[in-house]
Amino acid sequence: LMLLFKIIALILGLSAGVAFIKYTYQLTQLFGHNSLAEQYLGSGGTYTMWKLLGVIVILGTIWYVFH
């Protein structure tokens, strides 16, 4: 049962992470620009923030499943 849960978590986590990376522009249009990200990550920081969040979700998912 735990194996099935981890497989589902892997599929969902990787899908969410890839979606964050692939649909960065659409997410920014939906939620708007983040002034904190723009300030600390420079011009276009909101797009970078979404991509970093996608990478963090992917790495966190892999860590959870294989740890």
Side-chain angles (χ1 to χ4, degrees):
L1 185 63
M2 192 64 175
L3 179 64
L4 177 64
F5 179 73
K6 286 196 174 193
I7 291 171
I8 292 171
L10 181 68
I11 292 169
L12 292 176
L14 292 180
S15 299
V18 169
F20 277 128
I21 294 170
K22 183 175 180 181
Y23 297 110
T24 298
Y25 178 76
Q26 290 84 351
L27 287 166
T28 303
Q29 295 303 310
L30 182 64
F31 294 109
H33 290 275
N34 185 316
S35 61
L36 196 64
E38 296 289 334
Q39 179 182 355
Y40 289 108
L41 299 174
S43 179
T46 302
Y47 300 106
T48 305
M49 176 194 73
W50 286 115
K51 290 183 187 299
L52 287 173
L53 185 61
V55 170
I56 290 169
V57 167
I58 290 171
L59 291 176
T61 301
I62 291 171
W63 177 81
Y64 170 74
V65 170
F66 294 111
H67 184 251

